């Protein structure tokens, strides 16, 4: 249940409040505070600067489900807080984030086993398109294998996403700003909890402890940054060419694998 915000149609208890009560309250708040405390939106009030202010939880979060017959993109981010985010690009042009598998204090070997088990159980007979952080091609100092080597050894034909942070950001912003046949061009399932919270503001530029309003130039690393960045690598494959202003990527350039 979502209670109407103080300035929304159907707002409760307004007859007991002075005229303009919520508008006056909003004047002393930041945009994030207004969204949460005045308008009743799902969000995160932080001292940092949200990277995707275009995301509106009341618009973009909805009960989207897997659409049979449409390939599932898996975006991967590595490290010891790895994440895999599942999404589908529907024929009509809408991009749906349907699921996530995140881990804490776990390497890619064990995490990929969890991903494969989850996917075989929840999404059988699917065509997969895998893309990951280019850093996954760097060799480990222990056994000289890369994250890509480990995944490919398990039948996951993964390709690299775009490294440019601006291309990554704009590739996500593209569908967030788009409407398709009167519906948002981007939607995310509540099942993708960390990705959702990251988009709502926990994926942010950290505020610097200096005078004035200054922020770090790179996103803060936390448990929410990993799934959002995994999502970005997929976004660069789907929308990167449009963001760069070049023609669409040919299917032969995408690595795919069908899992029975």
């Amino acid at each position: 249940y979502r209670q109407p915000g103080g300035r929304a149609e159907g707002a409760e208890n307004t007859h007991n409040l002075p005229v303009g009560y919520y508008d006056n309250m909003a004047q002393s708040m930041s945009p994030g505070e207004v969204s949460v405390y005045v308008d009743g939106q799902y969000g995160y009030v932080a001292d940092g600067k949200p990277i995707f202010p275009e995301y509106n939880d009341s618009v973009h979060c909805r009960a989207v489900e897997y659409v049979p017959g449409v390939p599932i993109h898996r975006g991967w981010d590595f490290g010891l807080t790895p994440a895999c985010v599942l999404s589908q690009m529907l024929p009509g042009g809408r991009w749906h984030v349907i699921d996530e598998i995140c881990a804490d204090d776990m390497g890619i070997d064990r995490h990929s086993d969890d991903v494969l088990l989850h996917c075989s159980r929840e999404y059988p007979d699917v065509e997969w398109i895998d893309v990951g952080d280019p850093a996954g091609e760097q060799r480990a100092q222990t056994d000289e294998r890369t994250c890509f080597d480990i995944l490919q050894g398990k039948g996951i034909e993964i390709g690299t996403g775009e490294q440019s942070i601006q291309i990554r950001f704009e590739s996500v912003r593209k569908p967030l700003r788009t409407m398709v046949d009167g519906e948002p061009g981007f939607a995310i399932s509540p099942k993708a909890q960390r990705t959702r919270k990251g988009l709502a503001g926990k994926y942010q530029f950290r505020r610097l402890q200096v005078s004035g309003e200054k922020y770090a130039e790179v996103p803060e690393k936390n448990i929410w940054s990993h799934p959002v960045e995994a999502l970005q690598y997929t976004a660069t494959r789907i929308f990167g060419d449009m963001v760069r202003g070049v023609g669409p990527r040919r299917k032969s350039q995408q690595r795919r694998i069908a899992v029975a």
Side-chain angles (χ1 to χ4, degrees), residues 62-217:
R62 53 187 61 199
V64 295
E65 300 290 344
Y66 162 61
V67 178
V70 177
I72 295 181
H73 294 258
R74 286 188 296 209
W76 298 77
D77 192 60
F78 306 116
L80 291 178
T81 315
C84 182
V85 177
L86 281 58
S87 63
Q88 289 184 294
M89 188 64 192
L90 303 185
R94 288 191 289 271
W95 187 30
H96 287 178
V97 179
I98 60 174
D99 208 346
E100 69 179 14
I101 306 98
C102 301
D104 299 308
D105 195 22
M106 182 182 294
I108 192 60
D109 194 8
R110 282 198 296 150
H111 177 60
S112 58
D113 287 342
D114 289 347
V115 171
L116 289 173
L117 179 62
H118 179 84
C119 290
S120 64
R121 183 175 60 242
E122 300 293 331
Y123 310 100
D125 301 318
V126 170
E127 182 180 6
W128 299 100
I129 304 175
D130 291 277
V131 59
D133 181 355
E137 293 187 308
Q138 297 174 2
R139 290 185 176 183
Q141 295 181 4
T142 51
D143 61 4
E144 297 185 351
R145 289 192 303 167
T146 70
C147 293
F148 278 34
D149 288 338
I150 293 171
L151 295 181
Q152 289 166 356
K154 299 180 181 185
I156 300 170
E157 293 297 324
I158 187 169
T160 57
E162 178 73 48
Q163 184 64 48
S164 165
I165 196 168
Q166 289 305 320
I167 296 296
R168 285 161 41 195
F169 288 172
E170 290 304 317
S171 294
V172 174
R173 289 175 180 139
K174 173 74 175 175
L176 284 173
R177 295 168 174 163
T178 301
M179 299 293 288
V180 178
D181 296 329
E183 295 288 332
F186 176 90
I188 182 169
S189 167
K191 289 194 296 184
Q193 294 182 19
R194 287 194 186 181
T195 311
R196 178 187 177 192
K197 288 184 179 181
L199 291 171
K202 290 196 173 187
Y203 183 60
Q204 60 179 314
F205 294 116
R206 179 176 55 85
R207 186 167 188 167
L208 300 177
Q209 300 300 313
V210 296
S211 60
E213 191 170 334
K214 295 183 179 180
Y215 300 91
E217 295 182 356

